[in-house]
Amino acid sequence: HASASLQRLAVGRALWDESYTFALVRNPWARQVSMFHFLLSSVSCSKPRGQRPAHCDLRMLPEAGAWLQQPDEARRRFRAWLLDMASAFPLGSAKQHLFGARSHGNEHDAWYNASQLSWMVDASGALLVDDVFKLEELERVWPRLQKRICGLARVAYSDGGPRRNPSSHAHYSLYYDDKTRALVAKYMQADLAYFGYRFEKADPTRSV
């Protein structure tokens, strides 16, 4: 979970520059919903308060429970979570990155914030990786990755590309009201501008 700048620091600039590097990004609104469900249902934050790691409480996550399977209640608590984080980690503060992710040591970079872009740039804003792919387009670019990464050469997309940490929930757009939709847009403005993401409506012909 280290940023590109910290990984470059760890391996050395010469090796970093001669290696093929890439990053994956996803729609910021979808990312927040997926993270909320994943943390509370699949990993350590699913444990009760007092038993779960400190980072779960630091990031204001509610205590997990049967409500995760109740769409209306899950949406209500998701929105409350975003508002709680915005209050605790306001834009411009040293801890604003916690709105988007744990620190993971990346707070070493003064420019690290809630956006995905901040993981992959240097202090000047220059991109440190060779390619950035959207998760939503991973199947299309899989052949390109297979050509660049020898370990993927014989790995079919169906074996290596699909989500390895899936979370089960309705389309992300159903979780937001106008206030929380705008809130995520403010924190993730860099991602919206750089990667061109937009807020999409649920497709009634598709299931999530």
Side-chain angles (χ1 to χ4, degrees):
H1 289 91
S3 66
S5 69
L6 292 188
Q7 291 189 51
R8 185 176 69 172
L9 184 64
V11 303
R13 183 156 190 163
L15 181 57
W16 180 268
D17 289 346
E18 71 182 32
S19 301
Y20 174 65
T21 55
F22 73 97
L24 288 175
V25 297
R26 71 179 302 181
N27 183 296
W29 290 285
R31 179 171 175 257
Q32 291 296 116
V33 172
S34 179
M35 176 170 28
F36 180 75
H37 274 274
F38 173 65
L39 290 175
L40 288 173
S41 62
S42 304
V43 293
S44 54
C45 293
S46 63
K47 298 177 182 178
R49 284 196 174 98
Q51 298 180 30
R52 64 186 192 175
H55 72 82
C56 307
D57 295 324
L58 174 63
R59 294 194 66 216
M60 320 296 287
L61 283 161
E63 188 165 352
W67 59 265
L68 277 166
Q69 307 306 319
Q70 302 166 6
D72 289 344
E73 185 62 14
R75 284 192 285 269
R76 186 188 72 80
R77 297 202 190 201
F78 172 74
R79 293 170 185 172
W81 176 58
L82 294 182
L83 295 172
D84 287 344
M85 287 201 297
S87 178
F89 318 122
L91 280 168
S93 71
K95 293 185 177 182
Q96 66 171 330
H97 62 274
L98 291 170
F99 187 93
R102 289 172 57 188
S103 300
H104 295 299
N106 297 328
E107 69 275 16
H108 174 275
D109 296 335
W111 58 92
Y112 179 57
N113 56 52
S115 73
Q116 296 166 86
L117 183 63
S118 69
W119 290 64
M120 56 195 79
V121 297
D122 63 15
S124 71
L127 198 64
L128 296 178
V129 295
D130 297 316
D131 288 311
V132 179
F133 301 115
K134 292 182 176 180
L135 183 63
E136 299 85 355
E137 300 173 351
L138 185 57
E139 184 172 10
R140 180 178 63 80
V141 302
W142 191 254
R144 181 173 174 182
L145 284 171
Q146 288 180 302
K147 291 179 180 179
R148 298 302 305 269
I149 302 172
C150 58
L152 295 180
R154 298 184 179 180
V155 179
Y157 173 76
S158 58
D159 294 328
R163 297 173 296 176
R164 292 303 183 187
N165 295 318
S167 55
S168 179
H169 52 78
H171 190 270
Y172 74 82
S173 64
L174 301 176
Y175 279 74
Y176 292 91
D177 55 16
D178 290 344
K179 185 174 183 179
T180 51
R181 172 181 172 179
L183 189 61
V184 170
K186 289 179 180 178
Y187 276 87
M188 313 299 180
Q189 180 56 42
D191 292 340
L192 303 183
Y194 196 91
F195 303 116
Y197 278 113
R198 298 291 183 268
F199 190 85
E200 306 155 315
K201 294 295 184 180
D203 183 347
T205 66
R206 298 181 61 184
S207 60
V208 178

